[in-house]
Amino acid sequence: MDQDFNPFNLACKNILVTGASSGIGRAIAVACAKMGANVYITGRNGQRLQETASATESSSCVIVPADLGVAGDVESLVAALPKLDGVAHCAGITARKACRDIEESDLIAMFKTNFYATTLLQAALMQQRKINKSASILIMASRAASFPAKGVALYSATKGALVSYAKCLALELAARQIRVNCICPGMVWTPMISGGAVDVSYMEADQNTYPLKRYGKPEDIAYLALYLLSDASAWMTGSCIDISGGGYGVLN
């Protein structure tokens, strides 16, 4: 047995994680650091980014605060980055609103954070030649892109847009062997869903209907992200992977 064999090794790889101040983004940043990556984390809250950096227990974690909805912040972020071997786009928000009550301001807020931020940052990274050949790009989508639920039409629409975007991006970058894949989680216990968007008592009961009898943890998603960001997934692009414990929750 070759004890040194590890296809998931990220040693010396430069990985950018957006939305790294909490939840899935934080878990991915921590996991990447533990696998040896030089991790660059960004988000709007500098204090929470510092908490993420501390959790990595790595001297190779670099904090670059930025609001991805502000063009100047995106420009400064991209300028501060080295050539990247991986990007995990995890920034996002959720909100519940019936279709009949949707207003233009709701559309702008949801798409600006969940769709515009990812696509415009990715464009800036490519324009400034910050993505190395054979790099991996990961986009956090959701089962909501394919499984409808009442009250989450806007959120579902943004995640569906990301899935379609990722498939096109994968084709455009294939010539450089750059891979683009999506993760589509079911319900995961993160501050996004436990912070009041949905009744927690309902969720605690609902998770028992899942075949594995629980919602996911951010670490469950992070371990899949490690696979997609590592060379173990070298022949995988344009894919969208559901990870849901066998359940049908769609809010993440």
Side-chain angles (χ1 to χ4, degrees):
M1 181 176 65
D2 184 354
Q3 296 187 5
D4 294 327
F5 176 70
N6 184 358
F8 306 99
N9 183 21
L10 298 177
C12 299
K13 290 184 181 291
N14 296 323
I15 307 289
L16 169 66
V17 183
T18 73
S21 58
S22 65
I24 291 172
R26 173 176 289 179
I28 290 175
V30 170
C32 287
K34 289 183 176 180
M35 293 303 293
N38 303 314
V39 183
Y40 295 79
I41 58 175
T42 192
R44 290 176 293 185
N45 189 308
Q47 179 179 345
R48 290 194 295 171
L49 287 174
Q50 184 59 59
E51 293 170 0
T52 299
S54 297
T56 67
E57 299 180 346
S58 171
S59 60
S60 298
C61 181
V62 179
I63 299 172
V64 190
D67 183 340
L68 300 184
V70 177
D73 280 17
V74 172
E75 183 178 345
S76 297
L77 168 63
V78 173
L81 295 170
K83 295 273 191 175
L84 298 171
D85 303 293
V87 182
H89 292 283
C90 301
I93 60 172
T94 188
R96 297 181 68 84
K97 200 161 197 179
C99 292
R100 64 177 292 174
D101 297 325
I102 293 173
E103 300 178 356
E104 183 178 7
S105 59
D106 301 316
L107 280 164
I108 293 171
M110 188 70 71
F111 271 88
K112 184 175 182 179
T113 300
N114 289 6
F115 185 69
Y116 293 2
T118 292
T119 56
L120 292 176
L121 172 58
Q122 186 59 48
L125 291 170
M126 293 185 292
Q127 290 163 6
Q128 297 302 314
R129 302 182 183 276
K130 291 287 186 172
I131 308 294
N132 280 328
K133 184 178 180 180
S134 300
S136 176
I137 297 167
L138 167 62
I139 294 177
M140 197 59 57
S142 169
R143 283 173 63 86
S146 302
F147 293 88
K150 295 178 180 178
V152 294
L154 278 181
Y155 179 79
S156 298
T158 62
K159 295 302 184 177
L162 284 174
V163 169
S164 296
Y165 165 78
K167 289 180 178 292
C168 294
L169 183 63
L171 291 177
E172 293 185 13
L173 295 181
R176 296 188 61 218
Q177 299 295 300
I178 297 173
R179 312 185 307 284
V180 184
N181 294 288
C182 288
I183 292 179
C184 296
M187 293 293 285
V188 178
W189 285 112
T190 68
M192 183 182 288
I193 68 165
S194 60
V198 182
D199 182 74
V200 174
S201 62
Y202 165 80
M203 293 189 295
E204 289 175 343
D206 181 63
Q207 69 178 346
N208 288 319
T209 68
Y210 278 46
L212 295 184
K213 302 301 180 184
R214 68 174 177 89
Y215 286 169
K217 299 176 293 185
E219 291 77 15
D220 294 320
I221 312 305
Y223 299 150
L224 175 55
L226 287 181
Y227 166 68
L228 293 174
L229 291 168
S230 73
D231 294 340
S233 60
W235 200 53
M236 188 169 187
T237 195
S239 296
C240 296
I241 306 175
D242 279 11
I243 176 169
S244 65
Y248 293 94
V250 298
L251 291 182
N252 280 289

